Amino acid sequence: MTLEEWYRQDRLPHIYCAGCGNGTILNCTLRATNELGLDRTKTTFVSGIGCSSRASGYTSSDSLHTTHGRALPFATGVKMVKPDHDVIVFTGDGDLSAIGGNHFIHACRRNIDLTVVCMNNNIYGMTGGQGSPCTPYGAISTTTPYGMREMPFDLCAVAEAAGANYVARWTSYHVKELTQAIRAGIETPGLSFIEVMTQCPTSFGSKNKMRQVSQMVDALRANSILKDKADRNKAAGIPLEPGKFVVGELVRRSNPVLGGRP
Amino acid sequence: MKLVIDEHRCKGCNLCTMVCPYRIFQEGKRPGPRGYVIPALDQPERCTNCRLQKIYGRQLCGMCQLTCPDQAIAWIEEKPYEAHKVVIEY
């Protein structure tokens, strides 16, 4: 199979705004599935509601566009009924951590054999740019016009604490590394959680002095610190600066798996 | 192989101009058929994928295709009689 066959050509071009990183993450996911040589009839994409969750509609294999926050329960059902299918979940930060927060924790606890790709654009992009649990401290959104006064969620730390087998974080700028991480996530049994920090120039950037796509991508590149460097800094007693985040493969372990391949 | 931008998919975000290591993509000036300003290709013969993909049997760089959020960049087969532009660099 070629990469083009993984896209639903009749649905393209997609509805994402100009410069939205979700299309890049869709590219990386489909490149990873293509490189692994997965069977298109045995691959299922599941998504909830939001910008990110439109991605499953642009794939040519089986796809489920489900209710808000309930992508993981639907995916759990698919995996339990069809253990030989590869189930990949596209979800956003609001969909996964706010409305579907408990589902996320319990999917990690069960360690069910899914690959979760979370497109974290720090905001609810599709409904007008409200603040989400992942909006950085001090950032401006339509519901926080004087700056966010709540601390953001660290989704990778939640997944790690709840028991996921593979946890990684990359940005939509690190495309090659992201493709490798999604490949590793699909190959690892158990819940693989890949958080992708992505740009939203329309809803987030325009309110936070990053109207241009290049400014948002530069900010992503400047704020990401590789895990090795963060570990060295930690050993030297240098704390992580506020606003920066660690990228890389954070956890890989082999806990018992629910719904693995027979 | 030939590098092409699908004008009906491109939304003019210019991410390809940021990531291309050979600086082949340049910011465009004229709007395309859908009103977006589409990047222009500056000497696409320098693209490694165009020249060497067949010889090596695998994709060599592909950063622009992987980064393009609109799936607009692709490599297509050239027709055998298609004229090549000769570039002489002094």
Side-chain angles (χ1 to χ4, degrees), chain A residues 9 14 16 20 24 27 176, chain B residues 9 11 61 67-69 71:
Chain A
Q9 301 288 341
H14 47 56
Y16 298 140
C20 176
T24 308
N27 282 348
K176 297 260 176 184
Chain B
R9 287 190 189 170
K11 290 178 189 149
C61 167
T67 307
C68 178
Q71 290 85 36

Side-chain angles (χ1 to χ4, degrees), chain A residues 47-60:
Chain A
S47 64
I49 297 291
C51 291
S52 58
S53 304
R54 302 285 303 201
S56 65
Y58 301 114
T59 58
S60 62

